[in-house]
């Protein structure tokens, strides 16, 4: 599969993911930390294991930094999934997707500073445009809610995007220590563990009888989209 086709599929599933997250967040009565945790347990982790084993190439270089890098990656991506669901309750898909692009700026700059990746003038120009777009989207939301300060949901969206960007930097470092197949298994396991720890209190207090059939359908679908977005981003 070419990287161009992978990028195309990544954007397609990313939009579908945002639409599903927005749609379900409007009707869900479950705690905000429970939904992403269940999505990972029922969708992301199972698919990650299946795809990882399907590659028949599961190798890890277990050095002294492998586990710390995985844990950092899991923490930031776990925070992203929680905050993205919270922000989606109030932000429109268009606004969230615009603010969401800050993740790319964070990943590019972080990769340049921490991973010695190249940063050319085109990337700098593109990053500036993304930042301007995110600021304009946040200001538009602020005007809409008529608040003295930027809307809390927009701010949460920014924090979520930065968290994802930082998670992607750690993800790149992780991929330097293992094959794709191994990452889909161990990386997705760490992400699942992280989001479950973040939602531990709410999961313990959850009345499981309150999780209806439509909740499970929406949660599993969201988890599948989460995994597909991750697959095609990594492949690209």
């Amino acid at each position: 599969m070419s990287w161009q086709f992978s990028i195309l599929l990544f954007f397609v599933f990313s939009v579908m993911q945002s639409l599903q997250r927005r749609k379900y967040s409007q009707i869900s009565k479950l705690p905000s930390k429970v939904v992403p945790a269940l999505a990972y347990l029922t969708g992301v982790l199972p698919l990650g294991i299946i795809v990882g084993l399907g590659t028949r190439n599961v190798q890890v270089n277990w050095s002294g930094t492998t586990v710390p890098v995985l844990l950092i990656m899991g923490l930031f991506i776990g925070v992203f999934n929680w905050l993205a669901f919270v922000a989606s309750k109030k932000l429109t898909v268009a606004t969230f997707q615009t603010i969401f692009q800050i993740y790319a700026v964070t990943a590019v700059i972080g990769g340049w500073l921490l991973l010695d990746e190249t940063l050319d003038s085109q990337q700098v120009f593109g990053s500036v445009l993304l930042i301007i777009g995110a600021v304009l989207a946040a200001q538009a939301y602020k005007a809409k809610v008529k608040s003295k300060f930027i809307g809390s949901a927009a701010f949460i969206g920014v924090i979520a995007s930065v968290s994802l960007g930082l998670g992607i930097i750690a993800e790149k470092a992780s991929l330097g220590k293992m094959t794709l197949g191994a990452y889909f298994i161990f990386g997705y396991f760490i992400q699942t563990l992280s989001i479950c720890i973040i939602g531990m209190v709410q999961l313990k207090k959850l009345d499981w009888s309150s999780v209806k059939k439509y909740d499970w359908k929406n949660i599993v679908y969201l988890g599948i989209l989460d995994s597909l977005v991750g697959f095609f981003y990594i492949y690209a």
Side-chain angles (χ1 to χ4, degrees):
M1 182 186 300
S2 67
W3 68 266
Q4 294 92 338
F5 188 54
S6 294
I7 284 290
L8 174 62
L9 291 177
F10 163 72
F11 281 115
V12 169
F13 285 117
S14 180
V15 172
M16 292 175 64
Q17 176 195 49
S18 291
L19 289 169
Q20 172 62 14
R21 188 189 291 122
R22 168 69 175 173
K23 171 190 170 185
Y24 182 56
S25 68
Q26 299 301 295
I27 61 175
S28 175
K29 296 181 180 179
L30 299 177
S32 59
K33 296 177 183 177
V34 166
V35 173
L38 294 182
Y40 261 75
L41 286 169
T42 59
V44 176
L45 182 59
L47 283 177
I49 293 173
I50 292 171
V51 173
L53 294 176
T55 66
R56 297 183 180 180
N57 185 16
V58 180
Q59 300 180 41
V60 182
N61 175 19
W62 293 107
S63 66
T65 58
T66 302
V67 173
V69 167
L70 281 172
L71 291 175
I72 292 171
M73 175 276 302
L75 171 63
F76 283 117
I77 292 184
V79 169
F80 161 73
N81 280 280
W82 162 43
L83 295 182
F85 188 78
V86 173
S88 294
K89 286 179 175 288
K90 294 186 177 181
L91 293 177
T92 65
V93 172
T95 302
F96 180 81
Q97 278 293 100
T98 304
I99 295 175
F100 172 69
Q101 300 310 313
I102 291 177
Y103 89 89
V105 178
T106 305
V108 168
I109 296 176
W112 173 57
L113 292 173
L114 302 175
L115 304 179
D116 294 326
E117 296 183 346
T118 58
L119 183 62
D120 56 34
S121 58
Q122 291 182 336
Q123 290 174 312
V124 173
F125 181 67
S127 297
V128 171
L129 289 180
L130 288 174
I131 292 173
I132 292 173
V135 171
L136 290 176
Q139 289 298 322
Y141 181 76
K142 172 185 174 181
K144 182 178 179 180
V145 299
K146 298 179 181 179
S147 172
K148 292 182 180 179
F149 305 99
I150 190 170
S152 59
F155 179 72
I156 291 172
V158 171
I159 300 301
S161 300
V162 172
S163 295
L164 178 60
L166 295 173
I168 288 174
I169 296 169
E171 182 177 74
K172 290 180 179 179
S174 300
L175 287 168
K177 299 178 179 296
M178 61 189 71
T179 60
L180 283 177
Y183 181 78
F184 290 143
I185 295 173
F186 295 105
Y188 280 16
F189 171 76
I190 293 297
Q191 290 179 28
T192 303
L193 179 63
S194 176
I195 192 62
C196 286
I197 291 175
I198 290 172
M200 184 182 297
V201 174
Q202 292 183 352
L203 284 168
K204 285 183 176 180
K205 294 181 178 180
L206 180 66
D207 177 7
W208 290 94
S209 64
S210 66
V211 187
K212 308 302 181 184
K213 185 177 180 180
Y214 75 87
D215 288 308
W216 286 116
K217 290 172 63 176
N218 280 281
I219 288 170
V220 172
Y221 181 44
L222 181 59
I224 292 173
L225 290 175
D226 286 343
S227 62
L228 291 174
V229 169
F231 290 150
F232 290 113
Y233 182 86
I234 293 171
Y235 272 117

